[in-house]
Amino acid sequence: MYEKHLECRSCGKKIELGMKYTCPVCEGILELKYDYEAMKEDPLLLDDKEHKGMWKYSHVLPVRDKGNIVTLGEGATPLLRCCRLEKEYNMSVSLYLKAESLNPSGSFKDRPSSVGISAAKEYGAKRVVIASSGNASAAAAAYCAGTGMECIVFVPEGTDASKVTQAAAYGAAVIPVAGNYSNSYKMALECSAKYGWPNITSTFLNPYTVEADKTAAYEIWEQLGECMPDYVVIPIASGPLLVGMYKGFQELVHLGIASPESRLPAMIGVQSEQCMPVTKAYLEHTAKVCGWEFPIHTIAGGISDPLIGYEQDGELTLKTALESGGRMSCLSEEEIADAMQQVETKAGLYCEPTSAVAVGAAARLYKEGVIEPGTKVVCMLTGHGFKYSGRKPFVQKVISSIEELPILI
Ligand SMILES: [Zn+2]
C-alpha cells in the first residue's frame, strides 16, 4: 500500500506502477520502490490485524485495495530447529529448517503467486500466463482457481508428473514446451507481449512477485525472537527468493524495526552440479553469468534453470549473495539424494530433492569452515515431498502374524 513506482535496477529509470516487466531504456530488471518515510509512521506496518499468515504484512506488500488480496492461507510456516541433523552432521550451530513446503500448494512459490495474482486482479486481468519448472505453475493455478482467472502454464517437457498433475487439477491450461526451462520462459514472454496477459513468472520478471519473498525474512526474524540469523541457505534457480529475502532483512533495519546494529545474514545460494550457471560464475570470480548450455540430468528439478536469455537474473542473485557476505555453492546428485534422506529421517519433513540442497550445502560449508560454530543457520525447505515422483515404490512383504515381523525386536 506504500508502493510508489518501479525502478530499473541497472540504470535507475523510474517507471509508473503497472504490469511491467523490464526497463524500457536498457531492458534491466525492475524493482518496486516504497515510501519508506511514510511506512516508518505506520504502527501496524508488520501486523495488519485483518489478516493472518503472509498477509499480516500487507502494509509492506504492493496491493492497494485489500479487496483484491487472493489468499489460501500462505505464510506463517514453521521454523524448526533440528538437533538430530546438527548431531548427524557434527555441526555446533543452531540449525533451523524453514518449512516452506507446508504452504497451501506445497511450496515457497505460494507467496509470490499470492501477491502476483492479487496484483493481476488489481490491474483487471482475466487471464495470466506463467512459465515454471513445476512448483510455481501449481501455485499460480491454485491461486487463480479461487478468482475465476484463467491460468496458462508453460512447463518444460519432462517436468515431474506430480507437479504438472497438480497444476492441471486446479484447472489450469498446462502446456508442455519442448526443451529446457528457458524455452518455456521465452514462450510466456511472447504470449504476454502479443496478447497482453499478465506474466507472473516468478523469476525477476514480475516485480510484484519478488516482493512476496520478503515476508519469509520478516517471519524468520520474528520466529528467532526478533533476531537475525547468521546464515540463510537457499536452493537457487534464478534466485528471487534469495534477493527478495535479503530485501526483507534490509527493510527491517531500514524501517527501524530491527536494531540499526543488527548484522544482516550472509545469504548462501545452492545449485546442483548438473545446472550451476550462477555457482560457476562465483567459482570463476566473475560477475558475468553465462547461460548453462550443458545437458542437465538432476533429481533437483526445481533448480534446473539454465538462465539462457536472462542471465542478468543470475547476476543479480550473485551480486546480492556477495553483498551480504554470502556465496554460491553446489552439490552432486549423490549429495542431494543423501541430504533429502537426512531431512526426512532426522527432521520428519517430507521434501523434494531441490529442498534438501540447502541442508546438504550447510553441512558441507560447516565442514569446510565457511559456516562458523555457534551461529544460527536457516535452511529454506522450498518444496514438499509430494512434488517428487522419482522415488522407488515402497515394497514390503504382507504378514499375517507377529512372528513374521520384519524388524529386529
Ligand atoms: Zn534501465
Side-chain angles (χ1 to χ4, degrees):
M1 63 188 278
Y2 291 105
E3 62 273 23
K4 285 193 304 183
H5 59 260
L6 298 166
E7 197 170 303
C8 174
R9 288 177 184 263
S10 300
C11 74
K13 167 95 179 157
K14 290 185 174 60
I15 300 155
E16 243 180 75
L17 292 168
M19 280 288 147
K20 294 160 192 172
Y21 310 103
T22 49
C23 171
V25 177
C26 74
E27 295 193 351
I29 296 169
L30 300 178
E31 183 187 6
L32 259 157
K33 292 291 182 181
Y34 298 84
D35 183 348
Y36 283 139
E37 291 313 307
M39 287 164 91
K40 283 179 186 171
E41 306 297 317
D42 186 340
L44 296 175
L45 194 60
L46 294 191
D47 197 13
D48 175 354
K49 304 282 186 205
E50 290 171 40
H51 294 95
K52 293 204 183 320
M54 181 183 81
W55 287 99
K56 117 181 156 79
Y57 308 112
S58 73
H59 293 191
V60 288
L61 291 172
V63 175
R64 288 182 171 178
D65 177 355
K66 287 188 191 176
N68 289 325
I69 290 175
V70 181
T71 179
L72 290 172
E74 58 292 324
T77 55
L79 182 71
L80 304 162
R81 182 163 174 199
C82 187
C83 299
R84 286 198 72 210
L85 277 175
E86 292 166 13
K87 207 172 159 195
E88 173 68 28
Y89 290 124
N90 285 318
M91 296 172 81
S92 298
V93 299
S94 302
L95 183 65
Y96 294 91
L97 304 181
K98 179 68 171 162
E100 287 293 279
S101 48
L102 300 181
N103 274 304
S105 87
S107 88
F108 76 111
K109 291 291 187 185
D110 285 348
R111 293 180 197 258
S113 294
S114 175
V115 171
I117 301 293
S118 299
K121 189 177 171 191
E122 196 145 73
Y123 287 101
K126 299 277 182 286
R127 174 185 276 172
V128 296
V129 63
I130 181 169
S132 162
S133 63
N135 281 333
S137 61
Y143 285 85
C144 279
T147 65
M149 219 182 277
E150 231 182 301
C151 187
I152 316 291
V153 174
F154 292 118
V155 292
E157 59 176 333
T159 296
D160 197 297
S162 308
K163 294 176 181 176
V164 177
T165 304
Q166 189 186 5
Y170 293 126
V174 181
I175 303 156
V177 177
N180 59 37
Y181 173 74
S182 294
N183 296 349
S184 302
Y185 179 92
K186 278 180 212 130
M187 208 166 280
L189 219 54
E190 281 172 29
C191 274
S192 179
K194 188 168 179 184
Y195 304 116
W197 307 334
N199 189 339
I200 53 158
T201 299
S202 62
T203 51
F204 290 103
L205 195 62
N206 185 313
Y208 288 82
T209 58
V210 184
E211 294 302 302
D213 293 319
K214 298 189 301 190
T215 61
Y218 305 145
E219 283 177 19
I220 289 169
W221 181 78
E222 288 175 352
Q223 288 168 318
L224 289 176
E226 302 196 345
C227 185
M228 295 281 178
D230 297 290
Y231 305 93
V232 181
V233 193
I234 306 175
I236 294 295
S238 61
L241 183 60
L242 187 149
V243 173
M245 284 185 73
Y246 193 59
K247 183 175 181 180
F249 289 122
Q250 284 176 313
E251 281 186 350
L252 285 170
V253 175
H254 189 69
L255 290 166
I257 297 164
S259 150
E261 275 87 51
S262 304
R263 206 176 85 173
L264 299 182
M267 309 298 284
I268 299 174
V270 191
Q271 300 197 294
S272 146
E273 282 178 3
Q274 287 287 312
C275 183
M276 45 175 265
V278 188
T279 304
K280 185 167 181 283
Y282 169 77
L283 294 173
E284 291 170 356
H285 305 289
T286 173
K288 187 172 162 46
V289 170
C290 297
W292 188 258
E293 300 281 0
F294 309 101
I296 302 167
H297 300 288
T298 180
I299 55 171
I303 48 174
S304 59
D305 182 348
L307 301 179
I308 299 166
Y310 45 99
E311 292 82 357
Q312 64 174 350
D313 286 17
E315 287 166 2
L316 173 58
T317 299
L318 178 57
K319 183 168 156 265
T320 308
L322 293 175
E323 261 174 29
S324 74
R327 62 168 59 208
M328 290 298 301
S329 183
C330 60
L331 292 189
S332 68
E333 291 303 291
E334 293 72 28
E335 286 173 312
I336 296 170
D338 179 67
M340 181 171 78
Q341 194 188 20
Q342 295 297 351
V343 170
E344 289 171 345
T345 57
K346 305 289 187 311
L349 290 165
Y350 196 41
C351 66
E352 65 169 324
T354 299
S355 285
V357 300
V359 174
R364 194 160 93 184
L365 293 170
Y366 180 81
K367 212 170 162 184
E368 292 170 0
V370 175
I371 289 180
E372 292 175 14
T375 53
K376 292 189 184 74
V377 183
V378 174
C379 293
M380 300 302 289
L381 217 66
T382 46
H384 203 285
F386 296 139
K387 303 278 196 168
Y388 176 55
S389 58
R391 291 169 208 270
K392 281 188 191 140
F394 172 77
V395 181
Q396 184 65 274
K397 184 173 161 264
V398 176
I399 67 164
S400 312
S401 72
I402 63 167
E403 277 71 41
E404 297 173 73
L405 272 180
I407 54 171
L408 292 175
I409 307 295

